[in-house]
Amino acid sequence: MGLLRYIAVRAALIIPTVLILYTVTFFILRVLPGDPIAAALGTKNIPEEQLVEMRRQLGLDKPLYAQYIDYLLGVLHGDFGTSLVIRGRPIAADITERLPATIELAVAGMLVSLAIGLTTGMLAGLRRDTRLDTALRIYGAVSYTLFIPWLGLLLQLVFAIWLGWLPVSGRIDPGVELHEITGLYVLDSVLTGNAEALRSALAHLVLPALTLGIVLSGPYTRLLRNHLAVALESNFVFAYRARGVREKRITWHAFRNAIIPVVTYAGLQFALLLGGAVLTETTFDWPGIGTYLVEKIQYRDYPAIQGVVIVFAFIVGLVSLVVDLLYALLDPRVRY
């Protein structure tokens, strides 16, 4: 019952998180200067009567509290409104179309960052106070400071332009046909048995995922290295060695203790992955929710921006809940 109550409380915290982010976004958009209708239409030569009528049709003439409540009630019914730029275009349809691309990139970036970060952190922890440890600690500090567009452009220059090994941008080659099921091109290629589409999708995914993975691997390197060094100096390690336990088994037990804070940090890092995906998608022309958000910000498309923020907040909350469950499974103290 204690664990179920813990899960229920953590799940309930998603609601205020989404509400807070929606509220902040809603009021920031309203205090910014300029007319969203004129920005959406891209011209200033619009009769005032036409602007007034369009505001009335879109509900922008209502008081702020009425706009706030109306949009929130619509979201509760699955209605994120319609775009100000493309009249009548449901925002939910745009998000449904674009979100799988961002999820695919975020998951790939997470896997790359964990693979690099855990490997380098493990090596640094086991070879602490050596030249290798120093080099890997420098990598952990430097990689996290890299500017994503700069690193992305550098990887494009080397692997796409100079070597010609990988494509520069996009998700899949134009001539490749793929029957979409989930919107995740790699998964859809596997489900449909389309080897050509799988090769193309993976080739297009490598550079964006590698860019995100390198930048976000630094904290994992430092975090695992530090906690592994502490774990290897713990009393249970000395007790194991006194009993003649093999070093590999000792290292495994120390790793299990050191990985707990890394799992917790991974959930927090997912929010950065979504934020980093905006920059990565722009750099690699990746047709995800990040590039969609940038387009809508340029046109001051209130409903679209609010819808994306709500979806981002919900995803981050859901991932945090999953991480909390993993934390409870890894650390018995949480279950009690």
Side-chain angles (χ1 to χ4, degrees):
M1 290 299 294
L3 182 58
L4 292 177
R5 183 175 179 273
Y6 174 78
I7 295 172
V9 171
R10 299 301 299 174
L13 289 176
I14 297 177
I15 298 175
T17 302
V18 173
L19 282 176
I20 290 172
L21 287 176
Y22 164 63
T23 303
V24 172
T25 304
F26 178 90
F27 286 105
I28 286 179
L29 290 174
R30 266 61 180 186
V31 300
L32 291 176
D35 190 335
I37 301 299
L41 296 178
T43 178
K44 298 181 179 179
N45 301 321
I46 304 174
E48 185 63 29
E49 297 80 8
Q50 184 178 351
L51 289 176
V52 171
E53 177 61 22
M54 292 182 67
R55 290 194 194 97
R56 186 192 65 78
Q57 293 177 0
L58 296 170
L60 297 178
D61 61 333
K62 296 180 180 179
L64 287 182
Y65 72 87
Q67 296 181 41
Y68 179 90
I69 295 174
D70 288 347
Y71 190 83
L72 195 57
L73 291 175
V75 170
L76 293 176
H77 292 86
D79 181 12
F80 288 87
T82 57
S83 174
L84 299 182
V85 180
I86 305 177
R87 298 291 301 279
R89 171 71 174 173
I91 293 168
D94 288 338
I95 293 176
T96 303
E97 180 183 339
R98 297 277 198 131
L99 187 59
T102 297
I103 292 177
E104 186 172 56
L105 177 57
V107 171
M110 174 71 82
L111 293 177
V112 173
S113 65
L114 284 172
I116 298 175
L118 295 185
T119 301
T120 53
M122 190 77 173
L123 290 174
L126 294 176
R127 301 288 186 271
R128 56 192 182 281
D129 301 326
T130 63
R131 291 183 178 179
L132 178 62
D133 178 30
T134 302
L136 292 176
R137 289 165 66 184
I138 293 175
Y139 164 80
V142 172
S143 62
Y144 197 59
T145 64
L146 295 176
F147 187 46
I148 287 178
W150 177 84
L151 180 60
L153 291 173
L154 180 63
L155 293 178
Q156 285 177 327
L157 181 64
V158 174
F159 293 101
I161 305 301
W162 290 352
L163 299 177
W165 291 352
L166 298 167
V168 176
S169 61
R171 291 187 70 192
I172 198 168
D173 292 329
V176 177
E177 295 184 0
L178 175 63
H179 174 63
E180 294 189 33
I181 301 175
T182 64
L184 307 172
Y185 283 5
V186 174
L187 180 59
D188 289 344
S189 301
V190 173
L191 292 176
T192 58
N194 192 334
E196 182 184 10
L198 179 60
R199 285 193 298 268
S200 179
L202 287 174
H204 284 79
L205 185 59
V206 168
L207 289 183
L210 188 60
T211 301
L212 268 180
I214 290 175
V215 173
L216 298 180
S217 65
Y220 294 122
T221 301
R222 301 197 305 272
L223 196 62
L224 182 59
R225 184 264 176 201
N226 293 336
H227 284 84
L228 185 60
V230 171
L232 289 173
E233 296 295 329
S234 300
N235 291 332
F236 77 89
V237 172
F238 294 124
Y240 276 153
R241 285 175 177 157
R243 295 173 184 174
V245 177
R246 289 182 302 174
E247 197 65 28
K248 287 184 179 180
R249 187 177 178 186
I250 294 175
T251 302
W252 168 246
H253 283 285
F255 175 77
R256 286 186 60 185
N257 282 271
I259 199 67
I260 294 175
V262 176
V263 172
T264 304
Y265 184 78
L268 302 175
Q269 192 82 318
F270 194 79
L272 296 177
L273 271 171
L274 293 178
V278 174
L279 297 173
T280 310
E281 288 177 9
T282 305
T283 304
F284 290 92
D285 194 23
W286 189 267
I289 205 74
T291 52
Y292 177 79
L293 179 61
V294 171
E295 294 169 3
K296 298 309 177 182
I297 290 175
Q298 292 174 348
Y299 290 107
R300 301 278 304 279
D301 196 336
Y302 290 170
I305 298 171
Q306 293 166 181
V308 171
V309 169
I310 288 175
V311 170
F312 270 9
F314 181 78
I315 291 175
V316 171
L318 195 61
V319 172
S320 298
L321 175 62
V322 173
V323 170
D324 287 337
L325 296 179
L326 291 176
Y327 189 67
L329 293 175
L330 290 172
D331 191 345
R333 294 171 296 180
V334 176
R335 296 198 291 270
Y336 299 99

